[in-house]
Amino acid sequence: VAPKELLDRLRGGGLQVTNVRVAMLAAMARLPAPITLRHLQEQIGPVAFASLYRCMLRFEEIDLVRRSIGFDGTLSWELNPGTPQEFHVACSNTGEAVSLDLESAAELRRVLAKIEHRLHQCGYTHVQLNVAFQGVAQTERFTHTVGTLRQHVA
């Protein structure tokens, strides 16, 4: 079952609590990194891809999830906990993603906030951003522990 806070946010956004939406949120809450709809579909079972996509768009409208676009154009989503956005680096070989270190993520958020502010000043609304990092992890130098990017990857 999806955490109560997520269900409250779903209701607060004017969306009905359905079995599919609960299953989607529960699966996303279990996974530490952004997820593609295909992977989500594998996690929750036989639900039409189009239904998952429509639900995810509704989740975006109420800021329940954040979308990202990979280098290959693949869309993925992660829960938006209402805290500062995390940034990930994905291994091109394995597809595993880990969070960017705290210092780099904070610096990136500061720069992105300035850019977003300037875009709003220029009249843009509904600004979305996509920052994706990808590389080939060298296993002897890189720890695939989600939430940690070792400083020696510089």
Side-chain angles (χ1 to χ4, degrees):
V1 174
K4 182 182 179 328
E5 178 191 334
L6 293 174
L7 298 179
D8 290 344
R9 290 175 61 194
L10 189 67
R11 286 184 196 99
L15 299 179
Q16 291 182 347
V17 176
T18 66
N19 290 339
V20 170
R21 289 176 177 164
V22 170
M24 290 173 70
L25 293 174
M28 292 179 76
R30 285 191 308 268
L31 300 168
I35 185 171
T36 65
L37 288 183
R38 291 284 179 221
H39 188 204
L40 184 61
Q41 193 176 37
E42 291 169 5
Q43 297 291 311
I44 66 172
V47 176
F49 186 83
S51 294
L52 293 177
Y53 184 71
R54 284 191 300 271
C55 284
M56 203 60 80
L57 292 179
R58 297 297 306 270
F59 291 172
E60 277 187 277
E61 290 173 5
I62 63 169
D63 290 324
L64 193 57
V65 297
R66 295 178 182 144
R67 179 193 322 202
S68 59
I69 304 170
F71 289 101
D72 61 356
T74 302
L75 296 176
S76 59
W77 286 267
E78 65 184 327
L79 291 174
N80 178 359
T83 59
Q85 182 174 0
E86 285 190 29
F87 299 97
H88 301 88
V89 59
C91 176
S92 302
N93 289 338
T94 66
E96 290 186 67
V98 296
S99 295
L100 198 60
D101 66 273
L102 295 175
E103 183 181 343
S104 297
E107 184 176 347
L108 185 55
R109 280 192 291 275
R110 282 191 298 275
V111 170
L112 293 173
K114 284 182 183 180
I115 293 169
E116 186 173 353
H117 178 73
R118 288 181 190 144
L119 291 172
H120 286 288
Q121 287 180 324
C122 292
Y124 289 91
T125 61
H126 300 90
V127 174
Q128 293 184 19
L129 71 101
N130 180 49
V131 177
F133 296 97
Q134 184 172 345
V136 177
Q138 298 176 12
T139 55
E140 63 274 2
R141 293 184 56 213
F142 189 83
T143 304
H144 287 285
T145 304
V146 174
T148 306
L149 180 62
R150 304 287 183 224
Q151 290 294 336
H152 60 265
V153 179

